Amino acid sequence: MNISQKIETRNAVTEQDMANAIRFLAMDAVQKANSGHPGMPMGMADAVTVLFNRFITIDPSMPDWPNRDRFVLSAGHGSMLLYAIHHLIGFSDMPISQLAAFRQMGSKTAGHPEYGHALGIETTTGPLGQGIATAVGMAIAEQMMAARFGSSLSDHFTYVVAGDGCLQEGISHEAIDLAGHLKLRKMIVLWDDNHISIDGATELSTSMDQLARFRAAGWDAQAVDGHDPEAVAKAIERARKSRKPSLIACRTRIGKGAASMEGSHKTHGAALGDKEIAATREKLGWQHPPFFVPSDIKSAWESVASRGQTAREAWEIRRDTSRSRKRYEQTVERDLGPEVARQLSKFRAEHRNKATKVATRQASQMALEVINSATSLTIGGSADLTGSNLTMTSQTAPIAAGNFKGRYLHYGIREHGMAAAMNGIALHGGFIPYGGTFLVFSDYARGGMRLSALMGLPVVYVLTHDSIGLGEDGPTHQPVEHLAMLRATPNLNVFRPADIIETAECWEIALTEKATPSALALSRQALPMLRTVPGDENLSARGAYVLREAKGPRDVTLLATGSEVEIAVAAAEMLRSEKGIAAAVVSMPCWEKFEAQDETYRERTLGSAPRIAIEAAGRLGWDRWMGPRGSFIGMQGFGASAPAGELYKHFGITAEHVVAEALRLAGHNKGGRGR
């Protein structure tokens, strides 16, 4: 649209009137809740009104149509900006009663925008910087879909409203660097440049020239008066034509329009008060009661929805007449079809017969070779550890600026940015993203991983070098507390497979999850194939299962995951042949899946005999499975730098130690006999 053809709103309603509707809805909602952040919605109301009134393409009657523009409120504390707009343009779940219930139990208007909680919320935001970083993934996915299906089916923008806090968070550097490198030309960020933070003026803590910073990262960057509609429109029009991602610094005043508090950091996170709001109504000539919007202003806003519906209907005609329609719809729906499961079943049978011994990180790559041949939905990547994580296969050519036909992203040394971008790819739709790093660096990816779980996204984290087994790199790279941290995260499946068979099973589960992300903890060292029981059932889907049953009643049950299952099997054999102790071995590749089993299955698997848990990590969490008579063999502190075999001996994670502990628990001395 040419900005000279300014949209005329009904009954001479101006964009100032439309922006004031946002301001007063935000003020009224925060005041009623006595909680929230009115300053940012008031400050950005003018710029965002221009964006929606003149440019953005969305259709509230079909909020998830694939070719809509994405709008990400990275400064999620200003959620009333989003809720006000959704009410004004007519989202069905956002009547005025929801705004009046802002931040209250059961309402759609949560304190920060939550994906899936209300229609049209593209991503959960609030942790500053996550929105802009997630938007990078959305913009990547748009380019990938366009490369596969053409601009007639994929041609939309990703708009972001970010604040000073978003740009100060470290993740923003990872995000803007990656976006600039990939030349994500359809990503446009409107920065609420109000020079205010919670503590006061931003000069208290930063002197960054943000425009220079973005330009250095390969962005187009402009600065405008955020309260001048024509200047904002001109900047957006230029950004839409740029061959680079764009930053528009909108110089604004926080709390714009407030009678006496405009420009004050006090408007950031507190209600303005009845007197201030009354004075503001007088100042702006808004002679309406709380939560009331005149019909002509509401109609002006609803024209945004009408324009979007027209665009959506035209797109549907293009889709319906496209020769790629079936493949496109299968991609959008992330329909794996039966081939992945069929090929993985053949893969498991082949390697069971061969008794293949490999590190589970290598087993993961071998499984991915099969998976990536059977489906084009998977998009791989790594945080500069491709050769260690083994996340690239023969089908995954790299994605690069100007070439988005590939299936592999070199995320660079940006774990946090990688996690957020994968969230954005999953949110956009059309792909199942997986990305690799060392398990210890899940610390860096933690913010994005938590949001994967909170939003219920089918993202797969490939976390290799999962224990002291990585050896000489030492304690800085040896994860000991990370499994406990990940397992404590709600709605995250943490898989630690013991061999090539379990690795393939865990991948199959991860790919079929619709609303749960997965973390695969994989070994650096080679592990033997332990699954000798015939059959094609995916036993890892049970979370835990009896790998080796005792002959006769159990004297002890050995519980283990990953590389320590091998130790448990060796200890069980020593106990049987040398001590006459009947020991069962239970492999527990996924606690979350085991917890979901019925009580009868869990009790039968764990048994009533004393239990020993074996894992080259911290104890936290194991007591729930060990029971009151249980014992733990694992890490009590950080690791050390030495070859892996020496480390296992040094820290007592050995079959011999398990045998000694089993003898103690079973009530036998070294020369005793079992039942």
Side-chain angles (χ1 to χ4, degrees):
M1 163 187 322
N2 191 310
I3 60 169
S4 65
Q5 299 172 333
K6 180 179 176 181
I7 293 176
E8 294 297 330
T9 55
R10 298 183 185 181
N11 301 324
V13 171
T14 66
E15 285 178 329
Q16 184 69 57
D17 296 325
M18 296 171 72
N20 282 343
I22 295 175
R23 290 189 171 96
F24 283 101
L25 288 174
M27 279 187 275
D28 292 340
V30 173
Q31 182 65 23
K32 188 172 188 297
N34 195 28
S35 175
H37 302 77
M40 192 282 274
M42 296 173 71
M44 280 299 286
D46 296 317
V48 172
T49 295
V50 171
L51 173 65
F52 275 77
N53 191 42
R54 306 197 198 186
F55 296 101
I56 208 163
T57 303
I58 57 174
D59 179 7
S61 70
M62 191 172 287
D64 58 351
W65 71 288
N67 201 41
R68 69 194 182 277
D69 287 338
R70 270 57 171 184
F71 176 72
V72 174
L73 186 65
S74 189
H77 56 275
S79 57
M80 269 307 305
L81 175 70
L82 188 62
Y83 301 145
I85 290 172
H86 281 199
H87 167 71
L88 291 165
I89 64 178
F91 276 87
S92 62
D93 66 341
M94 203 57 65
I96 201 68
S97 59
Q98 287 293 336
L99 274 60
F102 181 53
R103 289 187 164 221
Q104 303 308 300
M105 180 65 72
S107 76
K108 296 288 186 181
T109 47
H112 293 83
E114 296 181 23
Y115 171 75
H117 191 66
L119 298 175
I121 297 176
E122 300 288 1
T123 182
T124 297
T125 55
L128 294 176
Q130 283 290 336
I132 188 174
T134 301
V136 170
M138 294 178 181
I140 290 171
E142 189 277 332
Q143 294 284 80
M144 289 193 295
M145 289 292 283
R148 293 187 183 196
F149 299 103
S151 59
S152 65
L153 293 182
S154 183
D155 182 17
H156 55 265
F157 286 85
T158 300
Y159 295 103
V160 181
V161 167
D164 290 295
C166 294
L167 302 191
Q168 287 185 44
E169 287 285 359
I171 189 175
S172 73
H173 182 78
E174 298 183 19
I176 68 170
D177 192 7
L178 181 60
H181 175 71
L182 292 175
K183 294 182 170 57
L184 299 179
R185 63 185 180 85
K186 290 190 175 180
M187 180 173 177
I188 299 174
V189 175
L190 278 66
W191 168 32
D192 181 19
D193 181 18
N194 60 27
H195 294 199
I196 293 292
S197 62
I198 292 177
D199 284 354
T202 52
E203 65 185 14
L204 290 170
S205 58
T206 181
S207 302
M208 178 68 69
D209 182 339
Q210 293 289 0
L211 272 72
R213 175 190 176 211
F214 274 75
R215 286 170 181 148
W219 288 56
D220 183 61
Q222 309 172 65
V224 300
D225 179 350
H227 302 304
D228 180 344
E230 297 311 314
V232 172
K234 184 177 180 180
I236 295 174
E237 186 73 18
R238 170 179 151 180
R240 286 164 58 92
K241 295 176 181 177
S242 176
R243 306 304 297 176
K244 303 176 181 179
S246 293
L247 173 74
I248 302 172
C250 300
R251 182 70 178 96
T252 61
R253 290 179 63 79
I254 192 170
K256 173 67 174 177
S260 65
M261 298 174 66
E262 179 181 310
S264 171
H265 71 280
K266 294 179 181 179
T267 68
H268 169 81
L272 301 186
D274 290 330
K275 290 184 179 179
E276 180 73 8
I277 292 175
T280 302
R281 277 185 158 82
E282 183 69 25
K283 173 185 174 182
L284 297 182
W286 189 265
Q287 302 302 320
H288 310 293
F291 300 106
F292 178 83
V293 179
S295 59
D296 56 344
I297 296 178
K298 186 72 161 58
S299 294
W301 272 106
E302 288 169 348
S303 67
V304 175
S306 299
R307 187 178 74 242
Q309 182 176 344
T310 299
R312 189 257 302 168
E313 290 170 349
W315 174 85
E316 287 177 340
I317 294 172
R318 297 197 301 273
R319 179 202 59 191
D320 293 346
T321 56
S322 171
R323 288 179 295 179
S324 303
R325 177 177 179 176
K326 183 178 180 181
R327 185 167 60 92
Y328 176 85
E329 290 180 339
Q330 289 174 335
T331 300
V332 169
E333 294 167 7
R334 286 193 283 250
D335 180 6
L336 280 171
E339 192 61 19
V340 170
R342 187 159 45 238
Q343 293 301 322
L344 283 176
S345 177
K346 291 173 61 178
F347 176 85
R348 293 195 297 268
E350 174 191 350
H351 291 285
R352 184 183 296 111
N353 292 334
K354 290 181 177 179
T356 302
K357 179 179 181 178
V358 290
T360 52
R361 63 174 178 143
Q362 186 176 351
S364 170
Q365 185 182 45
M366 294 164 69
L368 277 170
E369 189 70 36
V370 172
I371 292 164
N372 290 339
S373 292
T375 180
S376 60
L377 295 178
T378 44
I379 303 297
S382 173
D384 198 52
L385 288 167
T386 296
S388 295
N389 302 148
L390 302 179
T391 43
M392 181 178 276
T393 64
S394 62
Q395 307 83 3
T396 53
I399 289 166
N403 181 8
F404 285 82
K405 291 183 179 180
R407 294 174 58 187
Y408 196 83
L409 281 156
H410 288 284
Y411 287 104
I413 308 165
R414 306 182 182 102
E415 287 85 1
H416 201 174
M418 177 180 73
M422 287 198 295
N423 286 342
I425 292 170
L427 286 163
H428 179 279
F431 306 103
I432 301 173
Y434 67 88
T437 188
F438 289 174
L439 176 57
V440 74
F441 299 140
S442 62
D443 283 338
Y444 290 163
R446 167 67 179 160
M449 294 181 76
R450 184 175 187 271
L451 286 183
S452 299
L454 181 59
M455 290 189 278
L457 303 179
V459 174
V460 184
Y461 295 93
V462 181
L463 305 173
T464 68
H465 297 62
D466 68 345
S467 71
I468 59 170
L470 74 86
E472 292 87 345
D473 275 342
T476 58
H477 285 56
Q478 293 167 2
V480 292
E481 73 274 30
H482 299 74
L483 288 170
M485 176 267 289
L486 294 172
R487 287 167 176 160
T489 305
N491 193 41
L492 174 65
N493 288 332
V494 182
F495 297 99
R496 191 164 186 251
D499 64 4
I500 191 170
I501 305 301
E502 285 191 3
T503 303
E505 290 179 337
C506 292
W507 261 112
E508 183 176 13
I509 299 164
L511 292 175
T512 55
E513 290 287 359
K514 300 297 184 184
T516 302
S518 301
L520 276 65
L522 305 172
S523 74
R524 176 182 183 268
Q525 70 272 36
L527 303 177
M529 198 281 295
L530 299 172
R531 179 81 65 78
T532 58
V533 180
D536 192 45
E537 180 186 358
N538 188 326
L539 296 178
S540 296
R542 294 274 197 163
Y545 63 96
V546 179
L547 178 68
R548 299 280 194 280
E549 186 55 275
K551 294 182 178 180
R554 298 182 191 178
D555 293 318
V556 67
T557 298
L558 309 180
L559 313 175
T561 74
S563 48
E564 287 68 70
V565 177
E566 176 187 8
I567 293 172
V569 169
E573 179 58 27
M574 291 168 63
L575 286 166
R576 183 195 66 79
S577 62
E578 299 176 15
K579 307 298 180 181
I581 299 295
V585 176
V586 173
S587 179
M588 302 186 71
C590 183
W591 290 10
E592 295 77 21
K593 291 294 184 183
F594 187 52
E595 179 67 35
Q597 304 303 307
D598 62 73
E599 186 176 355
T600 300
Y601 177 79
R602 293 199 306 268
E603 289 180 350
R604 184 170 70 247
T605 302
L606 295 173
S608 58
R611 303 167 199 154
I612 300 174
I614 313 157
E615 189 171 66
R619 175 172 179 155
L620 187 65
W622 270 108
D623 288 271
R624 66 190 298 197
W625 308 123
M626 295 185 321
R629 294 183 294 158
S631 180
F632 177 73
I633 293 176
M635 298 298 293
Q636 306 301 321
F638 292 110
S641 178
E646 293 181 24
L647 289 169
Y648 272 86
K649 291 178 183 178
H650 176 77
F651 290 109
I653 308 174
T654 63
E656 291 77 13
H657 189 183
V658 175
V659 168
E661 193 63 17
L663 291 171
R664 184 185 70 80
L665 289 180
H668 293 266
N669 58 33
K670 291 185 179 180
R673 297 286 300 171
R675 292 191 297 274

